Amino acid sequence: MTAPVVKMEIWEISDGTYAPDFAPNGSQLMVVERIKRRSQGSDYESLIPVLKRSGEERVRKNTLLGWDFSTLIVPNGTEKGYEFSIAQFVSNLSVLADPTTKQARSQLAQNFDVVRQEVYRFQEYTTKAK
């Protein structure tokens, strides 16, 4: 017997960066920050490369195993409370106390509000066919 789906969201990864040997089963943990723009209607697409550079630097320093920025596709609307997410793939949660993580969080806060933070542990995953 399977449990019914209680909540379902469809996200599209807008951009990301990953360590060369990245696989979700290798990191086990994904810290997701659900975010919204501070100013509704403001240009967020020009900010993604800036945030990605921070993610790339943290991947180079082995602070992160991967980083991505995603857009909520379904469901969507103002009542949702968030419209984007940033995922950080980590091997343990102590990385959240790292100075580079705090710096990235400060950079994010200039344009986005973090609505909620969630931590996921991977059990199963799929990959997109090339």
Side-chain angles (χ1 to χ4, degrees):
M1 181 173 195
T2 59
V5 174
V6 176
K7 175 182 174 182
M8 184 171 103
E9 296 177 341
I10 298 174
W11 292 85
E12 179 178 44
I13 296 175
S14 303
D15 208 343
T17 184
Y18 308 93
D21 57 349
F22 174 79
N25 64 336
S27 66
Q28 299 299 314
L29 296 172
M30 178 175 71
V31 178
V32 178
E33 294 181 324
R34 307 293 186 197
I35 60 176
K36 68 177 182 176
R37 288 176 273 192
R38 285 185 178 261
S39 299
Q40 200 60 26
S42 64
D43 174 34
Y44 70 91
E45 291 177 339
S46 64
L47 300 171
I48 296 173
V50 175
L51 297 170
K52 182 181 179 181
R53 280 193 292 279
S54 173
E56 289 171 332
E57 180 65 25
R58 293 162 60 211
V59 167
R60 270 194 298 281
K61 290 181 177 181
N62 293 320
T63 305
L64 294 180
L65 301 168
W67 175 95
D68 66 51
F69 185 98
S70 299
T71 303
L72 180 62
I73 304 300
V74 175
N76 208 339
T78 55
E79 81 285 348
K80 191 67 183 161
Y82 51 85
E83 54 191 332
F84 308 106
S85 70
I86 291 181
Q88 302 170 85
F89 300 88
V90 300
S91 55
N92 63 65
L93 294 177
S94 66
V95 75
L96 298 178
D98 185 86
T100 58
T101 300
K102 291 178 181 179
Q103 179 182 358
R105 187 102 191 201
S106 175
Q107 183 180 35
L108 178 69
Q110 294 174 26
N111 297 289
F112 296 95
D113 287 323
V114 176
V115 176
R116 67 183 292 141
Q117 187 179 61
E118 300 169 337
V119 178
Y120 295 92
R121 179 176 299 280
F122 284 97
Q123 300 297 321
E124 295 182 44
Y125 69 98
T126 60
T127 57
K128 185 176 180 179
K130 292 183 180 183

